[in-house]
Amino acid sequence: QFKTWKECGLEDMNIVINLSSLQFNQPSFIPMVAAVIQEFDVNPEFLTFELTESMIMADNENMLEMLNNLKSLGVKLALDDFGTGYSSLRYLNRFPLDSLKIDRSFVEELPDSPDASAIVNTILALAKALNLKTVAEGVETQQQNMFLQNTSCNAVQGYYFSKPMPVTEFQHYWE
């Protein structure tokens, strides 16, 4: 799909892929990613894999090696649903992550909840201190979007902008 979009002039588009632990733990996963990048002439700097906290906490030594192998291909790594799992904060600087995705459960209470605001601002400050980009997921209202625009959050996503759509519909939407 990246190659098709590149041919249509959408080559600087970031592609974000949610990974399941089943996919990620297959021995052929990293060689397959490397082969796809080469075969379809994908610029890996526009490719991000999202992993959940429970995935990266499962097997620390093997996971660190696998994440480093993925990073060596030039792809980016995001920690999805940050703040909802059981991870230790000490692992945030151990793994070669590029970004944190703030879970929608915190975003949905913005801007009215002082607790949600404090949590989101704390995650943003932590990410900034660790030199990680941030994405707030689940933005559904103008008020949530405006709150996040007034913070250090790097990107937002959610139904406020668009619901998920098929590729053909997306191409029309993007143009």
Side-chain angles (χ1 to χ4, degrees):
Q1 187 59 58
F2 186 86
K3 186 176 183 178
T4 301
W5 283 336
K6 184 177 178 180
E7 291 166 356
C8 293
L10 302 174
E11 61 187 288
D12 291 343
M13 181 177 300
N14 291 308
I15 307 286
V16 181
I17 301 168
N18 286 309
L19 291 180
S20 73
S21 57
L22 180 63
Q23 290 171 304
F24 190 73
N25 289 314
Q26 293 177 355
S28 62
F29 177 71
I30 293 174
M32 184 264 311
V33 170
V36 167
I37 287 171
Q38 185 174 5
E39 180 181 347
F40 293 101
D41 191 28
V42 174
N43 184 342
E45 75 178 57
F46 297 110
L47 185 61
T48 301
F49 287 110
E50 290 184 358
L51 306 112
T52 62
E53 291 181 52
S54 59
M55 282 175 61
I56 67 171
M57 298 309 297
D59 177 5
N60 292 330
E61 289 309 314
N62 187 44
M63 181 59 62
L64 183 58
E65 180 182 345
M66 291 179 68
L67 293 175
N68 282 325
N69 288 339
L70 267 179
K71 288 292 292 179
S72 72
L73 297 175
V75 301
K76 294 181 180 139
L77 301 173
L79 185 57
D80 197 13
D81 303 331
F82 181 72
T84 61
Y86 302 99
S87 72
S88 167
L89 292 177
R90 105 179 154 92
Y91 289 108
L92 279 181
N93 65 350
R94 182 172 181 215
F95 293 120
L97 300 170
D98 296 289
S99 60
L100 295 180
K101 291 192 73 179
I102 302 169
D103 188 69
R104 68 180 314 118
S105 63
F106 303 121
V107 173
E108 71 186 356
E109 297 180 28
L110 294 177
D112 300 326
S113 166
D115 291 342
S117 299
I119 290 171
V120 167
N121 283 318
T122 300
I123 292 170
L124 293 170
L126 175 65
K128 186 173 184 175
L130 295 172
N131 200 28
L132 297 170
K133 300 276 188 207
T134 50
V135 178
E137 57 185 11
V139 175
E140 296 183 2
T141 69
Q142 180 179 10
Q143 292 79 12
Q144 292 166 341
N145 187 45
M146 287 174 54
F147 175 91
L148 291 162
Q149 283 181 353
N150 291 316
T151 67
S152 62
C153 190
N154 299 102
V156 293
Q157 69 180 54
Y159 285 179
Y160 177 68
F161 304 99
S162 173
K163 292 188 178 357
M165 61 184 78
V167 170
T168 54
E169 191 176 328
F170 173 76
Q171 286 177 216
H172 287 76
Y173 171 82
W174 189 259
E175 295 168 352

